[in-house]
Amino acid sequence: MELGLFQQQNLSLVMTAELRQAIAILQYPCYELSQFLQEQAVENPLIELSESPAFFNNDKKKALQKNKTNQDGDVISMMQPAVVSMHDRLLFQALSIPASDEIGSIIRFLILNIDQAGYLDITEEEVKKRFGISSGTFEKAVDSLHQLEPAGIGARNLRECLLLQLKSLGMEEDLAYRIADNHLDQLAARKLKQIAADLGTTVQAVEQAADFIQTLDPKPGRKLSSHSQLGYLYPDLSVIEDNGTYKLAINDHFTPKVQLNESYAHLLKSKSSGAAQYLQEHYQKLQWLQKSLEQRKNTLIMIAKEIVSAQQNFLKRGPEHLVPMTLREVADRIGMHESTVSRAVKNKVIQTPRGAFELKAFFTAKIETVSGENASSQTAKLAIKKVIEEEDKSRPLSDQAISEILASKKGLSISRRTVAKYREELNIASSSKRKRYS
């Protein structure tokens, strides 16, 4: 093999930092984008963030209206109320439990180890090792913990959670208590006949008890969670109905405006080599950030326009009239790559007259109808749900029977396997588990 120096040209794709930033910005929903911009403003002194005037004026108007409404009464603070967590509420309740200092300390420790669903998220061995206590002392502390409200809080598993709730209702001698205590797995599998045989009762009685058990709360911790801890949807786009036509609006008031900090504007013309180089680098970053934000906005608008144009029936008549769309179809119409559209719709929410939906919900698989036309998978799911709601509960329909009904009455050509897939996505049980005896 000959040794030497050779020149060779080749093409390669290089992902620059600016391009990575643009891709990340395109994927951010508005609330995450706002946080990202705050971080950029901390790193770059040339970036100045300002709230949208419309957003500020709206908040100011509400504040003035609230003050005017209450000017004859007590003065209401405009500060954000303090968030009272689930653990704070439980700790406050624990103050009223008569217990020794040792038990009280263990109870407070257990409370702080309850997850948001309301279950104790620590093992007995871990507690015994931390406090150096016996199993009897641990159980005494747990029994005291279970006195807190709502019933079922601090349970170690679903069975204990349900039993605590039934006990609080004085139902220790009832059939429901015995089923929850010893036959929970069989109940989950809807083996009602087997439970009835084991307990020496009728299937109808077991079914009634099972119906009552389903009214209990499997996650009691949610009752103590503050509303401010719950997630909220911040729509990136809105569709507004105006005299039968639909107009598109982008909700950029959720995102602060990025502009040049005028305090540093005169320094950009400075001849000082060190300062000039530093400021020029950060000024270029500012310009690229502004360009990326504008590109994100334009991309979302183009995609949303295609959705609104194609989904007129959905906007007027509801989800069952959703027209099937694919990412590739929209990408071809707006002259972008399919991956760009996929990133743009990720985690984005659009507010419509029919409610708030994720943008990706409008991109569904196509299902062929008997007449040769296309329907969306969402339309098929709604049709399956409706057929099951109208079935005879004593003789529930199989997936094959549902497939045949959809073909004959709804004109949807769907296989049995597809029916089973959509049914599971809708969290609907199989026919054997839907069967009713009363």
Side-chain angles (χ1 to χ4, degrees), residues 33-73:
L33 180 60
S34 179
Q35 295 175 354
F36 172 77
L37 295 178
Q38 296 289 349
E39 295 172 0
Q40 293 298 307
V42 172
E43 297 176 3
N44 191 341
L46 297 185
I47 295 178
E48 183 177 61
L49 303 180
S50 60
E51 297 292 343
S52 170
F55 186 66
F56 175 77
N57 291 338
N58 188 43
D59 282 353
K60 186 175 180 181
K61 182 178 179 181
K62 288 181 179 179
L64 291 174
Q65 184 178 3
K66 189 169 185 179
N67 284 337
K68 182 178 179 181
T69 304
N70 296 281
Q71 63 184 357
D72 296 330

Side-chain angles (χ1 to χ4, degrees), residues 80-139:
Q80 182 72 17
V83 176
V84 181
S85 69
M86 175 189 69
H87 299 105
D88 292 332
R89 298 174 191 270
L90 293 174
L91 289 170
F92 180 76
Q93 289 187 49
L95 295 175
S96 61
I97 296 179
S100 64
D101 292 341
E102 180 185 34
I103 295 297
S105 298
I106 299 172
I107 292 173
R108 290 190 291 272
F109 178 75
L110 293 177
I111 287 174
L112 295 176
N113 283 278
I114 293 177
D115 62 23
Q116 291 301 316
Y119 289 89
L120 196 59
D121 192 22
I122 192 170
T123 65
E124 178 180 348
E125 293 303 322
E126 289 175 312
V127 178
K128 288 163 60 177
K129 182 177 179 180
R130 179 181 177 87
F131 290 93
I133 57 176
S134 64
S135 296
T137 304
F138 171 77
E139 290 297 334

Side-chain angles (χ1 to χ4, degrees), residues 274-287:
Q277 182 179 358
Y278 174 82
L279 291 172
Q280 284 297 330
E281 289 177 358
H282 285 73
Y283 183 62
Q284 290 177 2
K285 292 181 180 178
L286 167 63
Q287 289 182 311

Side-chain angles (χ1 to χ4, degrees), residues 169-187:
L169 298 172
M171 299 177 63
E172 292 96 328
E173 303 299 325
D174 286 29
L175 179 61
Y177 191 94
R178 288 186 287 160
I179 292 174
D181 192 13
N182 301 304
H183 302 278
L184 208 54
D185 291 339
Q186 293 172 317
L187 180 62

